[in-house]
Amino acid sequence: MLFELETYTRHAKWLGLAAIGVSILAWTVELMGMVYVCPYCRVQRTVIGLLGLMLFTGAGRHWMGKYAAMVMGFFGAVVAANQHFMGWKSISSGKFEFNDTLIIDPFLLSGFAMTAIIGLVWLVTRQQK
């Protein structure tokens, strides 16, 4: 059931709500000053929230919603991929170190964000009228 694609399309609204929650939580943590200000992270968390909103409201049922999701998703995924690649670049040069607080490590978070954004775009494009 966990690895069935139909499970995710059937529960798209709940996944959209979860994405909105992740975005709000990430913004809250930054605005409280618990993490450093990162423009890459800001783009990723905003795109995740907007895609979640599109899933939750059903905005992706119209072709314009699907197109908007693809544009936003492409932008967010490119930003996440660039941030993630910087980690691979550090690994290749032998200078890579995980953040002291592993839960806010940019290498791990950008990889998760890239995966989430691509998955959310896929779910939005699967919405039907």
Short mmCIF file of all heavy atoms in Angstrom, two decimals, residues 11-24 48-49 51-57 120:
data_model
loop_
_atom_site.label_atom_id
_atom_site.label_comp_id
_atom_site.label_asym_id
_atom_site.label_seq_id
_atom_site.Cartn_x
_atom_site.Cartn_y
_atom_site.Cartn_z
N HIS A 11 -5.06 10.12 -1.64
CA HIS A 11 -4.92 10.95 -0.44
C HIS A 11 -4.20 12.27 -0.72
O HIS A 11 -3.52 12.81 0.15
CB HIS A 11 -4.18 10.17 0.65
CG HIS A 11 -4.87 8.91 1.04
ND1 HIS A 11 -6.06 8.90 1.72
CD2 HIS A 11 -4.55 7.61 0.82
CE1 HIS A 11 -6.44 7.65 1.93
NE2 HIS A 11 -5.54 6.85 1.38
N ALA A 12 -4.38 12.81 -1.92
CA ALA A 12 -3.67 14.02 -2.34
C ALA A 12 -3.99 15.21 -1.45
O ALA A 12 -3.11 16.01 -1.14
CB ALA A 12 -3.98 14.33 -3.80
N LYS A 13 -5.25 15.34 -1.03
CA LYS A 13 -5.60 16.48 -0.17
C LYS A 13 -4.85 16.43 1.16
O LYS A 13 -4.40 17.45 1.66
CB LYS A 13 -7.11 16.52 0.08
CG LYS A 13 -7.87 17.11 -1.06
CD LYS A 13 -9.28 17.45 -0.63
CE LYS A 13 -9.93 18.14 -1.81
NZ LYS A 13 -10.89 19.13 -1.42
N TRP A 14 -4.74 15.24 1.73
CA TRP A 14 -4.02 15.11 3.00
C TRP A 14 -2.53 15.39 2.81
O TRP A 14 -1.89 15.99 3.68
CB TRP A 14 -4.23 13.72 3.61
CG TRP A 14 -5.63 13.55 4.13
CD1 TRP A 14 -6.63 12.81 3.58
CD2 TRP A 14 -6.18 14.18 5.29
NE1 TRP A 14 -7.77 12.93 4.33
CE2 TRP A 14 -7.53 13.77 5.39
CE3 TRP A 14 -5.68 15.06 6.24
CZ2 TRP A 14 -8.36 14.19 6.42
CZ3 TRP A 14 -6.52 15.48 7.27
CH2 TRP A 14 -7.84 15.04 7.34
N LEU A 15 -1.99 14.95 1.70
CA LEU A 15 -0.58 15.23 1.41
C LEU A 15 -0.37 16.72 1.18
O LEU A 15 0.65 17.28 1.59
CB LEU A 15 -0.11 14.42 0.21
CG LEU A 15 -0.03 12.91 0.45
CD1 LEU A 15 0.17 12.17 -0.86
CD2 LEU A 15 1.08 12.60 1.42
N GLY A 16 -1.34 17.37 0.54
CA GLY A 16 -1.27 18.81 0.37
C GLY A 16 -1.30 19.53 1.71
O GLY A 16 -0.53 20.46 1.95
N LEU A 17 -2.17 19.07 2.60
CA LEU A 17 -2.24 19.65 3.94
C LEU A 17 -0.93 19.43 4.70
O LEU A 17 -0.45 20.34 5.39
CB LEU A 17 -3.42 19.04 4.70
CG LEU A 17 -3.87 19.73 5.96
CD1 LEU A 17 -4.27 21.17 5.69
CD2 LEU A 17 -5.02 18.97 6.60
N ALA A 18 -0.33 18.26 4.55
CA ALA A 18 0.96 17.98 5.19
C ALA A 18 2.05 18.90 4.63
O ALA A 18 2.89 19.41 5.39
CB ALA A 18 1.34 16.52 4.98
N ALA A 19 2.03 19.13 3.32
CA ALA A 19 3.02 20.02 2.70
C ALA A 19 2.86 21.45 3.21
O ALA A 19 3.85 22.14 3.50
CB ALA A 19 2.89 19.98 1.18
N ILE A 20 1.62 21.90 3.38
CA ILE A 20 1.36 23.22 3.94
C ILE A 20 1.90 23.29 5.36
O ILE A 20 2.55 24.27 5.75
CB ILE A 20 -0.15 23.56 3.90
CG1 ILE A 20 -0.63 23.69 2.46
CG2 ILE A 20 -0.45 24.82 4.70
CD1 ILE A 20 -2.15 23.70 2.32
N GLY A 21 1.67 22.25 6.13
CA GLY A 21 2.17 22.19 7.50
C GLY A 21 3.69 22.24 7.58
O GLY A 21 4.26 22.95 8.42
N VAL A 22 4.36 21.51 6.68
CA VAL A 22 5.83 21.52 6.64
C VAL A 22 6.32 22.92 6.31
O VAL A 22 7.28 23.42 6.93
CB VAL A 22 6.35 20.49 5.61
CG1 VAL A 22 7.80 20.71 5.28
CG2 VAL A 22 6.12 19.07 6.13
N SER A 23 5.68 23.56 5.35
CA SER A 23 6.08 24.91 4.96
C SER A 23 5.91 25.89 6.12
O SER A 23 6.81 26.69 6.41
CB SER A 23 5.25 25.36 3.75
OG SER A 23 5.57 26.67 3.38
N ILE A 24 4.77 25.84 6.77
CA ILE A 24 4.51 26.74 7.90
C ILE A 24 5.50 26.48 9.03
O ILE A 24 6.05 27.43 9.62
CB ILE A 24 3.05 26.60 8.39
CG1 ILE A 24 2.10 27.17 7.35
CG2 ILE A 24 2.86 27.26 9.75
CD1 ILE A 24 0.63 26.89 7.62
N ILE A 48 7.03 24.39 -1.69
CA ILE A 48 6.35 23.23 -1.09
C ILE A 48 4.99 23.66 -0.54
O ILE A 48 3.98 22.96 -0.75
CB ILE A 48 7.23 22.60 0.01
CG1 ILE A 48 8.41 21.86 -0.64
CG2 ILE A 48 6.41 21.65 0.90
CD1 ILE A 48 9.47 21.39 0.34
N GLY A 49 4.91 24.80 0.12
CA GLY A 49 3.64 25.28 0.64
C GLY A 49 2.63 25.62 -0.44
O GLY A 49 1.45 25.28 -0.34
N LEU A 51 2.55 24.43 -3.55
CA LEU A 51 2.11 23.19 -4.20
C LEU A 51 1.13 22.44 -3.30
O LEU A 51 0.15 21.85 -3.78
CB LEU A 51 3.31 22.32 -4.56
CG LEU A 51 4.20 22.85 -5.68
CD1 LEU A 51 5.48 22.02 -5.80
CD2 LEU A 51 3.46 22.87 -7.01
N GLY A 52 1.39 22.45 -2.01
CA GLY A 52 0.46 21.83 -1.06
C GLY A 52 -0.90 22.52 -1.10
O GLY A 52 -1.95 21.85 -1.06
N LEU A 53 -0.90 23.84 -1.19
CA LEU A 53 -2.14 24.59 -1.28
C LEU A 53 -2.90 24.23 -2.56
O LEU A 53 -4.12 24.08 -2.55
CB LEU A 53 -1.83 26.09 -1.24
CG LEU A 53 -3.00 27.04 -1.11
CD1 LEU A 53 -3.75 26.80 0.20
CD2 LEU A 53 -2.52 28.47 -1.19
N MET A 54 -2.16 24.06 -3.65
CA MET A 54 -2.80 23.67 -4.91
C MET A 54 -3.43 22.29 -4.80
O MET A 54 -4.52 22.06 -5.32
CB MET A 54 -1.79 23.70 -6.06
CG MET A 54 -1.33 25.11 -6.40
SD MET A 54 -0.25 25.13 -7.82
CE MET A 54 -1.49 25.06 -9.12
N LEU A 55 -2.75 21.38 -4.12
CA LEU A 55 -3.32 20.04 -3.93
C LEU A 55 -4.55 20.09 -3.04
O LEU A 55 -5.56 19.45 -3.33
CB LEU A 55 -2.28 19.11 -3.29
CG LEU A 55 -1.36 18.36 -4.21
CD1 LEU A 55 -0.35 17.57 -3.39
CD2 LEU A 55 -2.11 17.45 -5.13
N PHE A 56 -4.44 20.83 -1.96
CA PHE A 56 -5.53 20.88 -0.99
C PHE A 56 -6.79 21.53 -1.57
O PHE A 56 -7.89 21.08 -1.31
CB PHE A 56 -5.08 21.61 0.28
CG PHE A 56 -6.09 21.57 1.37
CD1 PHE A 56 -6.35 20.39 2.05
CD2 PHE A 56 -6.80 22.70 1.72
CE1 PHE A 56 -7.29 20.33 3.06
CE2 PHE A 56 -7.75 22.67 2.74
CZ PHE A 56 -7.99 21.47 3.41
N THR A 57 -6.61 22.58 -2.36
CA THR A 57 -7.77 23.29 -2.93
C THR A 57 -8.27 22.69 -4.23
O THR A 57 -9.34 23.04 -4.70
CB THR A 57 -7.42 24.77 -3.18
OG1 THR A 57 -6.37 24.85 -4.14
CG2 THR A 57 -7.03 25.47 -1.90
N LEU A 120 5.17 16.42 -5.33
CA LEU A 120 3.99 17.28 -5.27
C LEU A 120 3.54 17.73 -6.65
O LEU A 120 2.34 17.76 -6.95
CB LEU A 120 4.25 18.49 -4.36
CG LEU A 120 4.35 18.19 -2.86
CD1 LEU A 120 4.90 19.40 -2.12
CD2 LEU A 120 3.00 17.77 -2.30
#
